[in-house]
Every structure is written in structure tokens, then in C-alpha cells.
Amino acid sequence: MPKSWANLLSKLHDLKSIRLNGWNDIGLTEALTEFVKTAKFLEEIDLSACALNPDKFEQFLGSLSEGRLPLKRLILDQMGWPMPAHRLAPEICRLLENHQDLQVILGPEAGNARVPALEPFRLNGRLRYEIYPSAMRDLPEIYGAANLMNAPKA
């Protein structure tokens, strides 16, 4: 693992939020995996548009699940590889079960898969497929029958 990411993250243990939007992965996935094992205050991790190593990413999610972070939000939108939601579903489920206040945003490309194991978390609002939610799009079970265009005028 290149030392630059590991050195940088080793000095930032008091962070509450880390946003690495768009960084490429030369050792970043491994450094993040080690960082979350020792971080104490991290509430938000935003990895939008990061090109992370998909083979190491499951280890990263596993380290989040095992850790005692007060994590509230994990954003994985527009990753640099096609997110195999079905392959990551067990780790994401475990992560959401271990962190009751956590909300995970996977991004629209993962939403196309609609993995059954993730559906309960999506329905209770803890898993989203868009950063900016649209109730009508994200909860078709509730709003699907609503006909707002032809609603009677008051």
C-alpha cells in the first residue's frame, strides 16, 4: 500500500466527516480500511465518484461493520466501477444492522439491481439510491397509485 494515503489518514483520527469525492485508488481502499479501525468520531464517509478497488472494497465494508464508529452516513454514489450490489448486499446489510443510525446511499446504478436483501432498508429510508431523494421515485409502493396530475381542485 502506498504510504501517502496511509500517512495522511493516520494523522486524522479526530475527523467527524471525510469526503474524498473523485479520488482514484492508489492504495486508498486499503488505507481507509485501516483508518476506520482506529477512528473514533467519524460520522460521515463520502466516497462519491471515487475509483476504489472493488476487490478490496468488501474488506473496507467489513471493517466498518466491525468498528464502533458513530457512523451516520455512507455515500457510495457514482463509484468508478459498476457496483455489484448483489455481491455487496451481505456486507451492506450487516453494516446497517450494526449501525442503527446509519444511512447508506449507493447511487442510481446500484438501484437498477433492486437486491431483495436490501429492500427492507430501502423501504425504511436507511438505504437510498440517490443523494437527493424523490419520494415518488424512491417509494413507489406508497406514491405509485397517487395521481397528482388529475387531483380534484380545492
Side-chain angles (χ1 to χ4, degrees), residues 72-73 96 100-105 118-130 133 138-139:
K72 295 188 182 342
R73 193 165 150 114
L96 287 163
Q100 296 300 316
D101 295 332
L102 177 63
Q103 181 181 59
V104 175
I105 301 169
L118 298 175
E119 281 297 291
F121 297 107
R122 183 185 70 81
L123 291 172
N124 73 16
R126 295 188 54 220
L127 176 79
R128 291 197 340 235
Y129 295 112
E130 300 278 344
D138 293 343
L139 296 171

Side-chain angles (χ1 to χ4, degrees), residues 24-122:
N24 291 327
D25 179 33
I26 301 176
L28 177 58
T29 309
E30 295 91 337
L32 280 170
T33 301
E34 291 303 312
F35 172 70
V36 299
K37 290 178 183 176
T38 58
K40 293 181 174 81
F41 306 108
L42 201 56
E43 294 179 359
E44 179 182 64
I45 302 173
D46 184 348
L47 301 174
S48 295
C50 286
L52 299 179
N53 182 338
D55 298 324
K56 305 277 184 184
F57 196 70
E58 286 179 81
Q59 292 174 344
F60 168 68
L61 289 176
S63 66
L64 284 176
S65 294
E66 296 163 8
R68 299 289 174 234
L69 290 174
L71 200 58
K72 295 188 182 342
R73 193 165 150 114
L74 176 64
I75 303 171
L76 306 172
D77 190 29
Q78 299 176 359
M79 302 294 281
W81 41 274
M83 171 138 342
H86 62 280
R87 183 175 132 196
L88 297 177
E91 285 297 335
I92 293 171
C93 287
R94 195 169 76 153
L95 181 60
L96 287 163
E97 288 164 357
N98 291 346
H99 294 82
Q100 296 300 316
D101 295 332
L102 177 63
Q103 181 181 59
V104 175
I105 301 169
L106 291 180
E109 64 276 2
N112 295 334
R114 293 285 184 197
V115 179
L118 298 175
E119 281 297 291
F121 297 107
R122 183 185 70 81

